[in-house]
Amino acid sequence: MRIVSGIQPTGNLHLGNYLGAIRNWVRMQDEWSAKGGECLYFLADLHAISMPHTPADLGANTREMVAALVSCGIDPDKSILFNQAQVPAHAEMQWLLNGTARMGWLNRMTQWKDKAGKNREGASVALFTYPVLQAADVLLYQATHVPVGEDQKQHLELARDIAQKFNNDFCAEDAPLFTLPDPIIPPEAARIMSLRDGSAKMSKSDPSDMSRINLTDDADAIMQKVKKAKTDPEPLPGTVEGLAGRPEASNLVGIYAAMAGISAAQVLAQFEGQGFGQFKPALGEVLVESLAPMAARYRELREDRAALDAILAKGAEKARALAAPTLNRTYDALGLVRG
Ligand code: TRP
């Protein structure tokens, strides 16, 4: 039982990143390590160069993301935490699998179509072969399960197709090389919206800092942002249906539910009939209680470059050791001679 998952490095992390992916990784780490399973989590820095990027930002974002993950509960002694660039087997495996992946399969990938847009001729080759690198990421470690968002399901199916075809083409029937990984799609994570506009996603690129709760915000900042969050004048309804057409109210209730680990219906059962003057301080408290300790760790760790680099180096060393046997068998299966 082995979980493998990757995330593209970004900086200026906020509540949306935490509730979207990070918290899920932490939960899975804790559940799986208790059952004797293994978790490999990596920063997909090689994927990040498939789109135009600024080299100095990529390095900074990679370290910032590690700081965020560790501050939020990823334990480098329980999970293997690393970045692709320090494990050359990812890039090697991608090349080996490029012989198996079909142009037609990649042409059907919706992320490729979306990101390339109308200008396919100008898109990078890396953007086109991005899903093959993603397949390499998981097949390399014989992952049994891959937690991904709904939007990545198609890439995981492609990884299974590549594994299946490789096993068929190059392995004896009773000795397949690659494990076909199963996706784990988390129960729909609440979409966290801007605190200033309930119809826009919470985003690091929103010019207003009041629109988001940063993973660096201290208790005062969190409280202030919640109190200034946009709302409507109505009291809270007793049912989720009553939130229809009230995007800001929905968002705040959704955040409360996600942070308190209860459903929106349960939040409303508790706060029915109350106005935001009462609900906001309660929401602020829930947020401060869970986020403020992580934020304090994050603010400290992100300044400690030596510690972050040591975490990544240690993780990469473990990952390289785990990857080696499958990579060697792949070279062999293809008839590649290597001394
Ligand atoms: N493509 C994924 C995303 O954008 C990140 C990713 C890269 C990944 N390699 C992976 C996820 C392997 C799961 C497994 O979210």
Side-chain angles (χ1 to χ4, degrees):
M1 300 273 272
R2 187 178 278 165
I3 278 188
V4 176
S5 196
I7 193 166
Q8 289 216 29
T10 50
N12 303 323
L13 291 137
H14 53 73
L15 182 66
N17 302 114
Y18 174 66
L19 290 174
I22 300 177
R23 185 172 71 165
N24 206 32
W25 277 17
V26 175
R27 285 181 172 168
M28 271 180 308
Q29 160 192 272
D30 296 340
E31 279 168 29
W32 280 61
S33 58
K35 290 187 294 189
E38 230 173 341
C39 294
L40 283 88
Y41 293 133
F42 63 90
L43 290 306
D45 51 2
L46 292 181
H47 279 106
I49 65 168
S50 62
M51 293 291 274
H53 81 289
T54 309
D57 290 348
L58 179 54
N61 289 347
T62 299
R63 293 190 177 93
E64 228 182 276
M65 194 89 191
V66 175
L69 289 167
V70 171
S71 308
C72 292
I74 297 296
D75 177 347
D77 291 321
K78 276 192 195 165
S79 297
I80 301 179
L81 179 59
F82 64 102
N83 61 316
Q84 285 167 323
Q86 295 199 60
V87 186
H90 288 251
E92 289 179 69
M93 183 59 103
Q94 181 191 20
W95 181 255
L96 300 183
L97 298 178
N98 273 341
T100 294
R102 306 287 92 184
M103 293 287 288
W105 299 354
L106 295 180
N107 261 324
R108 283 195 283 278
M109 294 294 115
T110 55
Q111 181 177 294
W112 153 249
K113 290 192 249 182
D114 289 348
K115 285 204 179 169
K118 289 196 189 78
N119 184 20
R120 287 204 189 177
E121 295 291 309
S124 75
V125 173
L127 188 64
F128 187 66
T129 60
Y130 178 118
V132 185
L133 178 59
Q134 188 162 344
D137 293 337
V138 299
L139 300 181
L140 192 52
Y141 300 102
Q142 306 286 351
T144 56
H145 295 83
V146 179
V148 282
E150 193 66 42
D151 65 321
Q152 295 295 312
K153 230 172 112 180
Q154 196 187 29
H155 286 166
L156 196 70
E157 275 156 21
L158 182 92
R160 291 173 61 94
D161 290 343
I162 292 174
Q164 182 90 63
K165 181 167 168 55
F166 190 102
N167 288 345
N168 282 340
D169 290 355
F170 302 111
C171 308
E173 211 168 316
D174 57 348
L177 203 168
F178 293 118
T179 306
L180 269 53
D182 286 316
I184 305 181
I185 312 284
E188 39 129 0
R191 276 189 82 204
I192 307 302
M193 311 306 278
S194 157
L195 299 178
R196 310 298 298 166
D197 173 2
S199 63
K201 246 174 106 168
M202 187 175 282
S203 161
K204 66 167 180 168
S205 44
D206 191 313
S208 166
D209 193 58
M210 294 303 281
S211 73
R212 66 186 157 261
I213 292 173
N214 301 304
L215 242 40
T216 45
D217 285 345
D218 62 16
D220 289 346
I222 294 173
M223 270 299 179
Q224 215 208 2
K225 286 177 178 180
V226 171
K227 289 196 176 147
K228 295 232 163 108
K230 187 177 167 195
T231 46
D232 55 41
E234 302 298 319
L236 284 168
T239 63
V240 176
E241 295 73 50
L243 288 171
R246 298 176 64 186
E248 283 81 19
S250 291
N251 187 37
L252 296 186
V253 168
I255 293 174
Y256 190 108
M259 294 307 291
I262 58 179
S263 68
Q266 286 169 311
V267 177
L268 293 174
Q270 202 178 324
F271 290 96
E272 175 171 16
Q274 297 192 26
F276 287 98
Q278 286 154 299
F279 182 65
K280 281 178 166 180
L283 172 60
E285 250 172 63
V286 169
L287 279 167
V288 165
E289 204 179 301
S290 38
L291 282 186
M294 292 188 238
R297 283 195 294 275
Y298 180 49
R299 284 193 300 270
E300 200 181 307
L301 188 53
R302 70 206 285 261
E303 302 305 326
D304 193 345
R305 185 170 164 152
L308 296 170
D309 287 352
I311 291 170
L312 286 176
K314 190 174 114 182
E317 195 181 322
K318 295 189 213 164
R320 283 192 295 265
L322 284 180
T326 299
L327 184 67
N328 287 334
R329 286 176 62 200
T330 310
Y331 275 107
D332 290 346
L334 292 167
L336 295 158
V337 177
R338 298 201 303 153

